[in-house]
Amino acid sequence: MIISRPQTGKVRTRRNFVMSFLVGLFLIAPWVVLPEGSPLIRLDIPHRVFHLFGGLFIPQEGLILWFFLLTMGLSLFFFTSVIGRVWCGWGCPQTIYTDLFDRIGRFVLDSKYGKKDASIVGKYTVYFLWIVVSFIASFHWIAYFVSPYVMLADFVNLSFINQTYFYFTLFFTAAMFIDIGFIREQFCRYACPYARFQTLLMDEHSWNVTYDFKRGEPRRDGKTKIGDCVACNMCVVVCPTGIDIRDGLQVGCVACGKCVDACTSIMARENKKTLIGYFSLKQIETGAKIKWIRPRTVIYAILLTVVITGAIIQLVTRTPMSMIAASNKSMPPILIPDNKIRAFVALRIQNIAPIEKEFQLSASDTRHGKEILIRSGEENNRFKLGSGEIKSISVVLETQSLTEQELNEGYLPGSIVLKNAEDPDERLEKKLSLTLPRR
């Protein structure tokens, strides 16, 4: 386990602001309830709905999920190619919570933090506080799946033992305590998959934490000073993964910038600019300006723009209702007097709008342009559904009188239309193929 030395500086100050914002957002978001009563963000697995900023999404909307995942992946590709491992150093929970655990350890043990001669009481106090932080973080992580108000009430009333979320919370608490407290950023070095392919996404123009070897090398050797590097090794001492940035780009570098602040403070004593900073490799080698627009970044930007545009179109044109229609296999269509066909269809309807809505059902014969009578058991085939509510019903379809020629066509293409009773333009149509009975 590596305990790096704390380091102050401009990068550290900026990271403190970003990390405080991200942790605050993580802790506050699950508690926010919108005016219509829906949570700001929640993945409600038992009810199979996902609340996101006032929108309600269901598993059947796979295209939207596909757009979301593709946007995340391409964003990772694009930003890594442009500004390196910015996610690892500035936004990754592994980095943020490791930093928070270190602050707790230093607050309790001061300079003895991470040393073998630290007091037993102090060590266990640190462990206890780590467990508390792990529990709070895990509680809020589960709160993205279960209402935090319900969980809090259960914990206060001591009625959480039989709740599934309680055991998930315990599991994540233990996992976080072990991972952040002891594995720490060695996970980034040896286990993180992103670290393995980040070198494929970056090139010599990527803006990342880099050592200026042209100015720094060769390093000071005893009293003989040739390059600007004074061989103080502060960049290694403050590195949370224990690497030497002077050896070049490595998998273990999370671009946290602690070595930048360390080198800046040391070089300031020499009245020189830092040897470690946010540069591109090409910038160091030739002194040229960073080439932001290049084939790699252009391709990623175009793909990301296309995907985001597709996602926006999909969201704007999205109909906030869902309907699954299936013919009843056990009750095939039958011929009734006056050459009419009667069919039985099972419907599963869900309101995926954030508010209650009234819906109306209708059906039609799409081949001949005739209306089909639909009986749903509801007055005028109208019914109300609350946000996220599901209604499963069996309906009876009855065609108008068919001619002999129409009866011999073998099947009847039809459609069932579900529309918002208050806004007819908001409608959803499902095609049906009704098999005509043989005579």
Side-chain angles (χ1 to χ4, degrees), residues 41-54:
I41 302 176
R42 185 166 305 147
L43 181 59
D44 192 342
I45 294 178
H47 295 95
R48 295 176 176 82
V49 293
F50 181 34
H51 300 268
L52 182 62
F53 303 118

Side-chain angles (χ1 to χ4, degrees), residues 36-37 56 320 351-359 383-389 420-422 426:
E36 61 270 16
L56 196 67
N351 175 19
I352 51 178
I355 58 175
E356 181 184 72
K357 288 189 176 182
E358 185 174 12
F359 299 95
F383 51 89
K384 291 183 178 181
L385 291 179
S387 176
E389 187 177 351
N420 184 344
E422 299 176 356
E426 192 175 277

Side-chain angles (χ1 to χ4, degrees), residues 60-204:
Q60 287 81 357
E61 297 180 289
L63 187 59
I64 294 178
L65 175 62
W66 181 82
F67 273 124
F68 173 77
L69 295 176
L70 203 55
T71 299
M72 294 298 101
L74 288 173
S75 297
L76 190 67
F77 285 15
F78 173 72
F79 288 108
T80 302
S81 67
V82 176
I83 53 179
R85 292 180 68 174
V86 63
W87 163 254
C88 296
W90 296 70
C92 179
Q94 186 81 13
T95 304
I96 293 174
Y97 283 106
T98 298
D99 201 59
L100 179 58
F101 274 32
D102 281 347
R103 288 174 181 269
I104 294 172
R106 292 191 180 95
F107 176 78
V108 175
L109 296 174
D110 197 25
S111 60
K112 294 294 185 180
Y113 174 58
K115 296 181 179 179
K116 293 182 179 180
D117 59 345
S119 68
I120 297 297
V121 175
K123 283 184 178 180
Y124 281 98
T125 301
V126 170
Y127 293 160
F128 172 75
L129 293 176
W130 283 358
I131 292 173
V132 171
V133 172
S134 298
F135 177 80
I136 293 173
S138 300
F139 176 92
H140 284 83
W141 168 242
I142 301 300
Y144 284 88
F145 301 85
V146 182
S147 170
Y149 295 99
V150 172
M151 290 196 294
L152 183 61
D154 288 344
F155 278 111
V156 170
N157 297 325
L158 302 178
S159 57
F160 53 83
I161 297 299
N162 296 323
Q163 302 296 332
T164 304
Y165 66 74
F166 171 66
Y167 299 99
F168 275 100
T169 304
L170 289 183
F171 170 78
F172 284 112
T173 299
M176 182 174 174
F177 172 69
I178 295 171
D179 177 32
I180 307 298
F182 302 98
I183 299 176
R184 304 169 61 78
E185 285 176 336
Q186 294 306 303
F187 174 87
C188 310
R189 188 171 183 176
Y190 298 110
C192 178
Y194 174 51
R196 293 301 182 267
F197 63 79
Q198 53 114 359
T199 51
L200 299 175
L201 302 176
M202 297 169 60
D203 58 23
E204 59 186 1

Side-chain angles (χ1 to χ4, degrees), residues 337-363:
D338 296 330
N339 283 350
K340 296 181 179 180
I341 300 298
R342 181 175 291 166
F344 308 90
V345 178
L347 300 179
R348 184 181 183 275
I349 300 167
Q350 184 173 11
N351 175 19
I352 51 178
I355 58 175
E356 181 184 72
K357 288 189 176 182
E358 185 174 12
F359 299 95
Q360 185 171 27
L361 286 168
S362 62

